[in-house]
Amino acid sequence: MRVLKQIICRILFLFGFDRLYRLFKRGRRGHAVCVLSLHRVIDDNEENSDFRENYLTFSKFKRRVRFIKERYGFFALSRLAAAADDSMPDGIILTCDDGYRDVYTRVYPLMKEEGLPFTVFLTSSWVGREGMLTREDIGVMAKDPLVEWGAHGVSHIPLTDLPVDKAEEEIVESKKRIEEMVGRSVNLFCYPDGMFNDEIRKMLSRHGFTVACATGRKLNCGSIDKFELKRIPFENEPVSRFAFRIAGLV
């Protein structure tokens, strides 16, 4: 079934049906905002039998970024936070979870070269660990207005697995630590493992957050809940399948 989907998408992609489908989604719902989630971008020679579907080689990432730039454009997550439903920007939002060092060595140089904004959600206690962003990396990127910063908890433990007071500590402490590292206010949040409930949403609002990202594999259409933003993962798949994924045919 998966192979059949890819073949169908490839044929329809050649005739531009991905664009038509996205226009259809926007026409029905007023707007269709796609938020992408990314974890790892690795060297091309690292692709092997253990290669994970949610990893991308740098060459594939570069092709997808340039494809999106040409097809739709990128805009910053903070713009969505400030927009009303009737003035929602159109385009794609890129978010990077956890704080892998790939963000500094591969994602940031390309996005800077192309002049494109993106958001990094840091798991604050992971900073400086092997394979993760260092404080020095963060300091360099923090000077660039193209890079936005969000909290992803202190430990990456799903907040719903914690007592209420401990969940609030994760939220408050991660915000505090990241603000100290980047030298600016942090009001964007990403739920670890996408898990949340009403109490956690209220905590975020109480502590000054304006947006929270979850999972969901859908576009954000109609009246957007800014504390439950759905995201579509960057995956290792043909660009034709990816094109329909970001158009809303997930």
Side-chain angles (χ1 to χ4, degrees), residues 65 151 155 195:
V65 165
S155 63
M195 304 300 291

Side-chain angles (χ1 to χ4, degrees), residues 5 8-9 12 17-18 21-22 24-25 34 72 217-219 232 237 240-250:
K5 279 185 178 179
I8 293 171
C9 286
L12 294 176
F17 276 90
D18 59 308
Y21 188 80
R22 186 172 170 85
F24 169 73
K25 293 283 285 190
C34 176
Y72 302 112
R217 290 179 174 265
K218 293 181 180 179
L219 299 184
I232 295 173
E237 60 190 352
S240 55
R241 181 69 184 94
F242 176 71
F244 276 96
R245 195 180 296 281
I246 62 177
L249 189 63
V250 180

Side-chain angles (χ1 to χ4, degrees), residues 4-37:
L4 179 61
K5 279 185 178 179
Q6 290 180 355
I7 293 172
I8 293 171
C9 286
R10 186 174 300 171
I11 294 169
L12 294 176
F13 175 72
L14 292 173
F15 292 96
F17 276 90
D18 59 308
R19 285 182 172 180
L20 292 175
Y21 188 80
R22 186 172 170 85
L23 288 172
F24 169 73
K25 293 283 285 190
R26 287 183 61 199
R28 285 186 61 200
R29 307 298 297 274
H31 50 257
V33 177
C34 176
V35 184
L36 290 172
S37 62

Side-chain angles (χ1 to χ4, degrees), residues 47-64:
E47 187 170 5
N48 53 42
S49 58
D50 297 325
F51 188 70
R52 301 184 186 182
E53 285 190 354
N54 62 347
Y55 287 12
L56 281 178
T57 60
F58 179 70
S59 61
K60 288 180 180 178
F61 175 66
K62 180 165 61 174
R63 285 197 298 271
R64 281 157 176 70

Side-chain angles (χ1 to χ4, degrees), residues 22-250:
R22 186 172 170 85
L23 288 172
F24 169 73
K25 293 283 285 190
R26 287 183 61 199
R28 285 186 61 200
R29 307 298 297 274
H31 50 257
V33 177
C34 176
V35 184
L36 290 172
S37 62
L38 176 69
H39 284 84
R40 298 291 312 277
V41 176
I42 65 176
D43 281 334
D44 288 14
N45 59 11
E46 292 184 69
E47 187 170 5
N48 53 42
S49 58
D50 297 325
F51 188 70
R52 301 184 186 182
E53 285 190 354
N54 62 347
Y55 287 12
L56 281 178
T57 60
F58 179 70
S59 61
K60 288 180 180 178
F61 175 66
K62 180 165 61 174
R63 285 197 298 271
R64 281 157 176 70
V65 165
R66 289 178 175 167
F67 168 79
I68 293 170
K69 181 181 179 181
E70 178 184 337
R71 206 84 151 186
Y72 302 112
F74 287 85
F75 70 95
L77 184 57
S78 60
R79 279 190 63 198
L80 184 147
D85 280 342
D86 60 358
S87 61
M88 198 63 64
D90 185 39
I92 307 291
I93 297 169
L94 175 62
T95 62
C96 303
D97 289 7
D98 302 334
Y100 289 97
R101 195 155 194 264
D102 308 340
V103 172
Y104 179 69
T105 59
R106 301 188 183 98
V107 176
Y108 175 56
L110 177 64
M111 299 298 279
K112 183 175 179 63
E113 178 186 339
E114 299 288 341
L116 305 173
F118 67 103
T119 299
V120 183
F121 287 117
L122 289 174
T123 302
S124 60
S125 70
W126 292 5
V127 173
R129 292 186 185 181
E130 184 178 358
M132 309 305 289
L133 289 169
T134 66
R135 284 181 172 265
E136 291 74 18
D137 300 334
I138 293 168
V140 171
M141 291 192 293
K143 297 174 183 176
D144 195 324
L146 287 173
V147 187
E148 297 190 331
W149 301 90
H152 198 32
V154 175
S155 63
H156 204 281
I157 296 173
L159 300 180
T160 52
D161 289 351
L162 297 171
V164 172
D165 60 330
K166 295 298 182 183
E168 190 158 19
E169 282 181 22
E170 285 268 331
I171 292 169
V172 173
E173 187 62 22
S174 63
K175 176 180 171 71
K176 178 182 175 183
R177 290 188 192 182
I178 296 165
E179 287 179 340
E180 289 172 352
M181 285 187 275
V182 303
R184 65 177 95 157
S185 177
V186 170
N187 55 17
L188 311 174
F189 194 84
C190 179
Y191 302 110
D193 287 354
M195 304 300 291
F196 65 96
N197 54 34
D198 286 342
E199 184 59 34
I200 290 166
R201 290 165 58 107
K202 291 175 185 175
M203 287 179 194
L204 293 178
S205 181
R206 199 161 56 237
H207 291 290
F209 290 95
T210 57
V211 159
C213 290
T215 53
R217 290 179 174 265
K218 293 181 180 179
L219 299 184
N220 297 276
C221 303
S223 181
I224 293 178
D225 185 340
K226 294 179 182 178
F227 284 87
E228 192 179 343
L229 288 179
K230 299 173 179 63
R231 295 190 298 166
I232 295 173
F234 255 122
E235 293 184 331
N236 182 36
E237 60 190 352
V239 69
S240 55
R241 181 69 184 94
F242 176 71
F244 276 96
R245 195 180 296 281
I246 62 177
L249 189 63
V250 180

